[in-house]
Amino acid sequence: MSVVTELGYLGLSVSDLAAWRAYAAEVAGMEVVDEGEGDRLYLRMDLWHHRIVLHADGSDDLAYMGWRVAGPQEFAAMQEKLSAAGIPFTVGTEAEARERRVLGLLKLADPGGNPTEIFFGPQVDTHKPFHPGRPMFGKFLTGSQGIGHCILRQDDVEAAARFYELLGLRGSVEYHLHLPNGMVAQPYFMHCNERQHSVAFGLGPMEKRINHLMFEYTDLDDLGMAHDVVRAKKIDVALQLGKHANDQALTFYCANPSGWLWEFGWGARQAPSQQEYYTRDIFGHGNEAAGYGMDIPLL
Ligand code: MBD
Ligand code: FE
């Protein structure tokens, strides 16, 4: 049985590379690596060559998501599993693998049409200490938990859940949120390691493929510092500081230079072994800047 083990990398299409360079370093604290290609920047969060590539091709949306499998055997088994399920994919060429800094990858799309890659063997630059883009007290919490989580557009939540189950994730609806219009939002969260969720969907129609990327600091003071920078720069905050019921992380959501959200977090608990659902968050997460697809009542 081949299963994905982490959300390993992300490609983001951006229009304003200069604004992104400043945001990633000065707001989030990520290490920006410019290898002179001109059309891209790499963002480091740990010892990997990169966790995020910013591609300056202007669509200001998710370009691709990379899910890791352990090694070549799992990579071969995953191809067999996808073929047996009738899911089309292509195996990346050597040049494509080199571009992603991995030993091998395959490319497919999830049921929402989000470009998806499954890879093994990332380039890890153990010789190059992580150097944050601004002073940090701690690190980014990655390791076996991957980058963080993404909330994606999915028109068919059931189809998306079956697809990610095939990849090896587990989960379910984790909230029933009563909306002012009388409807009940039922977002669906899935995990593949100790991180409480690596992907979620089911928040209704979305303009972009992605609503937000969540990443986590190991040190509360880094979250506080990021929050101060966001407020000083008057960056739109869509959801104020608060604590989610499911992952119990202290987080806030602010706009990135592409006009979608990054959720900055700290202190998440690990995924419980059995499913639960909630009707609201623990505290906070008040709605502030509207129009980012997060105008939902979490309290
Ligand atoms: C999350 O990470 C999230 O983004 C939402 C909307 C609810 C619970 C946890
Ligand atoms: Fe989130």
Side-chain angles (χ1 to χ4, degrees):
M1 263 290 282
S2 173
V3 295
V4 299
T5 54
E6 65 174 288
L7 176 59
Y9 63 71
L10 285 178
L12 307 179
S13 292
V14 310
S15 51
D16 191 342
L17 206 53
W20 265 100
R21 184 195 285 267
Y23 178 86
E26 293 161 25
V27 182
M30 293 181 188
E31 178 177 353
V32 178
V33 177
D34 185 345
E35 297 193 346
E37 289 116 316
D39 66 344
R40 67 194 64 189
L41 289 174
Y42 302 97
L43 303 183
R44 283 184 102 211
M45 300 169 68
D46 51 24
L47 294 180
W48 285 35
H49 175 271
H50 65 270
R51 286 289 190 166
I52 297 172
V53 188
L54 303 173
H55 294 276
D57 56 11
S59 71
D60 286 312
D61 203 347
L62 175 70
Y64 51 84
M65 250 176 316
W67 295 94
R68 184 182 191 179
V69 292
Q73 292 82 7
E74 289 79 6
F75 187 62
M78 180 61 77
Q79 293 178 44
E80 281 171 28
K81 190 159 78 166
L82 291 169
S83 296
I87 295 176
F89 63 88
T90 59
V91 179
T93 63
E94 250 179 66
E96 287 175 316
R98 259 200 307 279
E99 184 186 5
R100 294 285 191 267
R101 306 300 202 288
V102 298
L103 293 176
L105 83 160
L106 56 88
K107 299 190 178 190
L108 68 168
D110 79 7
N114 302 304
T116 299
E117 300 178 358
I118 298 174
F119 73 96
F120 74 96
Q123 178 180 330
V124 180
D125 290 339
T126 53
H127 61 284
K128 191 180 164 195
F130 170 68
H131 184 83
R134 61 159 169 80
M136 273 176 62
F137 293 97
K139 297 171 186 282
F140 289 98
L141 190 107
T142 55
S144 59
Q145 298 194 31
I147 299 185
H149 72 248
C150 292
I151 291 212
L152 301 177
R153 180 172 64 202
Q154 302 289 351
D155 306 325
D156 184 340
V157 168
E158 279 306 312
R162 297 294 87 76
F163 174 83
Y164 283 101
E165 273 170 12
L166 187 74
L167 264 50
L169 292 95
R170 298 166 46 80
S172 74
V173 166
E174 289 185 352
Y175 284 83
H176 285 178
L177 296 169
H178 293 266
L179 305 176
N181 66 7
M183 307 258 289
V184 181
Q186 299 193 30
Y188 202 108
F189 296 78
M190 302 188 76
H191 64 273
C192 55
N193 53 45
E194 319 88 88
R195 187 177 290 286
Q196 199 273 336
H197 56 285
S198 290
V199 69
F201 36 81
L203 275 177
M206 287 165 42
E207 262 170 59
K208 296 181 185 287
R209 290 170 172 163
I210 189 166
N211 171 272
H212 69 262
L213 164 68
M214 184 270 202
F215 55 87
E216 208 179 326
Y217 298 107
T218 59
D219 197 306
L220 172 59
D221 294 342
D222 286 319
L223 181 69
M225 194 184 264
H227 190 260
D228 278 357
V229 174
V230 165
R231 289 311 194 182
K233 291 183 183 288
K234 302 203 181 324
I235 294 170
D236 275 0
V237 171
L239 286 182
Q240 297 164 345
L241 273 170
K243 205 168 165 195
H244 284 308
N246 59 354
D247 63 10
Q248 302 189 1
L250 180 67
T251 73
F252 69 95
Y253 298 58
C254 69
N256 64 41
S258 287
W260 53 276
L261 299 172
W262 271 15
E263 179 183 8
F264 292 58
W266 168 81
R269 69 166 171 172
Q270 299 188 350
S273 59
Q274 302 186 93
Q275 280 303 145
E276 300 175 351
Y277 87 99
Y278 319 94
T279 59
R280 47 162 284 170
D281 270 350
I282 298 170
F283 67 82
H285 283 151
N287 302 102
E288 195 173 301
Y292 291 99
M294 265 296 158
D295 314 303
I296 51 169
L298 283 164
L299 270 204

